[in-house]
Amino acid sequence: MQATPDTTPALIDRFGRRVDYVRLSVTDRCDFRCVYCMSENMQFLPRAQVLTLEELYQIAAAFTALGVKRIRLTGGEPLVRKNVLSLVRMLGELDIELSLTTNGSQLPVMANDLKAAGVSRLNISLDSLDAERFHDLTRTGKLVQVLHGIEAAKQAGFERIKLNAVILKNRNDDEILSLVDFAREQGLDISFIEEMPLGVISEHSRAEAYCSSDEVKAAIEQQYTLQSTVERTGGPSKYYRMPDSNSRIGFISPHSHNFCGDCNRVRVTVEGRLLLCLGNEHSVDLRDLLRQHPGDQAILQQAIIDAMDLKPERHHFELDEDPQIIRFMNMTGG
Ligand code: SAM
Ligand code: SF4
């Protein structure tokens, strides 16, 4: 008997990697100014350059039609985008896993609505449990608000909430174990992220602040036994478990352990630039296309299919050289 051909659409790049995950940035703005992400006086985009909520939806729908199964909303801070909930409700109707990365500041008021609108997973950034230091690292953030946000997310029924922590030498590297303890107590997962050189920030030296995943792991192992697992949550995190806890510990190591070989993702900036790689500038302007051919899904989908040929094999991050990437993380969609 002849096998039925698989007609499920798929986005495959030149290296045979299947792209089934999109990170969609819904704003470049943020209520925080984290030292590694933004400079103190950021210039944000004028409104005309930013995709409308309808355009963001059109892009998400095109990716979904091409076999993408997971979309993560990010930014900037996605929850400061005006009317973001109406977009989330529209996306919640698509046949995808919808997740969101947030600094947590708006969760006290929005967690329930996000859950009801169809967000299934939340990542919440948390780099310090010391209020003063939290304020120093985020320049504007209030720790208590984020802790309330985490509690609101738990109460709303989100499962497997993951904390994201960027560890910087001499800023918060003495808090690695406290952050792990907090995740254990709260029943959360936690991923430690190596800082990436995106954008030039004059008042912050990335080379001096760099703390490798191996250093973070060694600090945790002074207290806990880490058992390697093959679990993946669709992202670049390598996960470990502790024998006496349900919390997972992940490491996202763009410098020390290159994860490009099984990269399954692309990003769309809030200007509608389809970025094929976090660490390269290869991109396609989807906004131009959307505005020239409003509502034409066929043209949009073809542009996305064609863009797969531009996805580079790997990124090259060098800490001591001038960054090749001048976009800030809030523009990239972290
Ligand atoms: N505002 C949201 C938040 O902070 O979670 C979402 C956007 S933020 C750009 C996404 C993630 O990127 C955060 O966990 C943040 O810590 C991380 N991030 C920002 N700049 C970074 C950099 N230069 N290197 C590594 N991670 C970075
Ligand atoms: Fe805002 Fe997130 Fe960047 Fe911090 S990491 S400045 S919270 S976008």
Side-chain angles (χ1 to χ4, degrees):
M1 209 174 69
Q2 229 181 341
T4 326
D6 183 2
T7 53
T8 319
L11 292 169
I12 313 274
D13 77 357
R14 289 175 298 146
F15 305 97
R17 294 172 298 190
R18 179 173 177 172
V19 171
D20 58 6
Y21 182 17
V22 176
R23 295 178 84 113
L24 187 57
S25 175
V26 303
T27 181
D28 60 327
R29 289 164 196 262
C30 187
D31 49 344
F32 291 3
R33 297 282 183 280
C34 301
V35 291
Y36 47 76
C37 178
M38 293 192 184
S39 59
E40 198 151 12
N41 302 306
M42 285 293 284
Q43 286 288 326
F44 295 109
L45 291 167
R47 184 185 292 205
Q49 288 182 32
V50 168
L51 295 178
T52 63
L53 296 179
E54 177 56 29
E55 288 169 337
L56 285 163
Y57 175 75
Q58 290 293 328
I59 290 177
F63 274 107
T64 311
L66 294 170
V68 161
K69 293 282 173 248
R70 282 173 309 135
I71 296 185
R72 176 172 290 279
L73 302 183
T74 180
E77 173 47 42
L79 299 184
V80 303
R81 172 85 195 238
K82 205 168 164 206
N83 293 331
V84 71
L85 275 172
S86 65
L87 173 68
V88 173
R89 285 190 193 104
M90 288 196 288
L91 298 178
E93 299 291 317
L94 296 173
D95 184 18
I96 46 163
E97 180 196 276
L98 184 61
S99 56
L100 186 128
T101 301
T102 174
N103 65 23
S105 70
Q106 309 303 310
L107 286 177
V109 284
M110 294 179 81
N112 282 325
D113 287 341
L114 290 168
K115 183 83 173 79
V119 173
S120 54
R121 297 205 4 236
L122 281 183
N123 286 359
I124 306 175
S125 298
L126 181 69
D127 299 333
S128 174
L129 290 162
D130 176 283
E132 203 174 315
R133 192 183 272 180
F134 184 88
H135 184 266
D136 285 349
L137 283 169
T138 58
R139 294 202 190 95
T140 59
K142 290 196 173 61
L143 175 66
V144 66
Q145 208 175 334
V146 174
L147 296 180
H148 284 153
I150 293 171
E151 187 52 37
K154 284 168 59 183
Q155 294 298 330
F158 283 101
E159 283 170 21
R160 293 234 81 102
I161 298 168
K162 182 161 75 89
L163 301 176
N164 277 337
V166 177
I167 299 297
L168 308 176
K169 278 260 164 72
N170 301 321
R171 298 292 296 252
N172 62 348
D173 56 340
D174 56 344
E175 284 197 65
I176 296 168
L177 276 173
S178 330
L179 287 163
V180 170
D181 288 338
F182 178 76
R184 286 165 58 97
E185 283 155 27
Q186 297 285 320
L188 313 171
D189 292 337
I190 182 164
S191 275
F192 291 97
I193 310 176
E194 285 179 351
E195 185 186 0
M196 287 170 261
L198 300 178
V200 184
I201 301 178
S202 54
E203 61 276 31
H204 170 68
S205 162
R206 297 196 195 270
E208 270 170 44
Y210 175 67
C211 188
S212 73
S213 290
D214 288 344
E215 290 170 272
V216 176
K217 183 164 169 277
I220 300 170
E221 284 175 322
Q222 286 179 9
Q223 177 87 29
Y224 298 111
T225 306
L226 293 184
Q227 298 167 330
S228 178
T229 80
V230 289
E231 289 172 85
R232 300 302 290 257
T233 53
S237 272
K238 161 92 186 95
Y239 281 103
Y240 292 80
R241 280 197 180 262
M242 294 163 283
D244 59 343
S245 165
N246 197 23
S247 295
R248 288 184 293 208
I249 300 194
F251 296 96
I252 302 178
S253 322
H255 292 283
S256 54
H257 303 283
N258 192 287
F259 49 57
C260 302
D262 50 6
C263 178
N264 62 343
R265 64 188 50 203
V266 292
R267 292 173 161 78
V268 181
T269 73
V270 73
E271 291 176 285
R273 250 175 97 195
L274 168 55
L275 287 173
L276 283 309
C277 170
L278 177 63
N280 284 283
E281 295 290 3
H282 305 71
S283 71
V284 172
D285 184 353
L286 298 180
R287 183 188 63 198
D288 199 33
L289 210 70
L290 274 164
R291 293 187 180 172
Q292 278 186 34
H293 308 275
D296 192 332
Q297 272 283 320
I299 288 187
L300 186 57
Q301 289 176 24
Q302 192 57 50
I304 293 172
I305 293 169
D306 294 346
M308 291 304 118
D309 281 353
L310 297 178
K311 190 165 166 63
E313 189 171 11
R314 52 162 298 170
H315 66 244
H316 301 270
F317 286 141
E318 304 298 340
L319 284 163
D320 293 324
E321 293 174 13
D322 287 342
Q324 315 89 308
I325 303 299
I326 50 168
R327 300 175 250 116
F328 289 94
M329 190 61 143
N330 72 308
M331 289 302 302
T332 303

